[in-house]
Structure formats: C-alpha cells, structure tokens
Amino acid sequence: MSSRDIRLELDPKVSIAPQSIGGVVNGTGVDLSGCEAALILLNSGAATTAATVTIQESSDNATWTAVADTDLIGTTLNSAGVLQTASAIAKVSYIGVQRYVRVITTAGTAALFSAEVVRGKQRHAGGVPV
C-alpha cells in the first residue's frame, strides 16, 4: 500500500561503512541541512569485546565535540563513550542544532560495526530526499 511507503521521507547516509574495527575509526560527517530530524543507527556484529561508540557534532565538518546527553534520545554518557552490545542495533535520535553529526568508535578486538545517519522530515525537497 502506498500509504505505508516511507522511503521518500527518509534519507540514510553512511557515517561508518560496515567493517571489522580493531582500533579508532572516525566516521564521515553527515550534513543535516535541509532536514528536521536525524536518527543514528549503530550496528554491531558478533565481537568478543564491545565497541565503544561516541556521537559527535560540528558546525563546520572540521571541529568535532561529543554530543551532550540532552541532545540525544536513546543513549546516556555519550561523552565518555557508550559500549555497543555485540550483535545488536541501537537507535539514537539527535535533537541538537549543529549542522553535522558523525560516529566514532574503538574496539579492543576486531568487531564488525557500521553506523548510519537517517535524515528525516526533509524541508523544501518536494517529497524527495536531497
């Protein structure tokens, strides 16, 4: 049914492509201009050591700071790094005001991990993601 089709309302972007992580990985910054909502998906595969994940924000896509807990829904203690449970998907809403967000992660042993930022509520796009 077309009334249930939301793909034109959502615009997913990759911050960290799926990969085996054995050290620090800085995700790509995702530009939130033109949208009113952002959902961050943290995907963790089987691992012997959980990945430590931090969501960061920036006004210029160059200088990054950890997002304050008050600007995230679905996680706490972000600035210290959140342990991502193995074989799980975590959903975190970003409600801050900065233009860019990204995910950074570390893992003590090789762990499969990816992170996507789903831009939602597109403005001035005529119903088509930009």
Side-chain angles (χ1 to χ4, degrees):
M1 298 180 68
S2 62
S3 64
R4 296 182 185 194
D5 182 6
I6 64 169
R7 70 190 155 85
L8 294 178
E9 298 173 24
L10 303 176
D11 186 25
K13 303 290 185 186
V14 173
S15 182
I16 298 178
Q19 60 187 282
S20 181
I21 294 175
V24 176
V25 174
N26 291 329
T28 302
V30 175
D31 190 348
L32 301 179
S33 65
C35 71
E36 297 178 5
L39 173 68
I40 300 162
L41 299 174
L42 307 171
N43 307 292
S44 181
T48 55
T49 302
T52 301
V53 178
T54 304
I55 299 167
Q56 295 183 326
E57 62 187 357
S58 172
S59 61
D60 60 5
N61 204 22
T63 305
W64 296 92
T65 58
V67 177
D69 287 348
T70 54
D71 287 336
L72 296 172
I73 300 172
T75 191
T76 57
L77 303 175
N78 179 64
S79 60
V82 177
L83 285 179
Q84 176 70 15
T85 306
S87 301
I89 298 174
K91 300 182 293 184
V92 180
S93 292
Y94 174 72
I95 58 172
V97 297
Q98 297 299 322
R99 180 171 175 175
Y100 299 92
V101 294
R102 74 174 181 179
V103 176
I104 65 170
T105 186
T106 60
T109 60
L112 186 60
F113 183 83
S114 69
E116 298 79 30
V117 177
V118 181
R119 299 165 12 116
K121 297 186 180 180
Q122 305 294 307
R123 293 188 304 261
H124 312 295
V128 179
V130 289

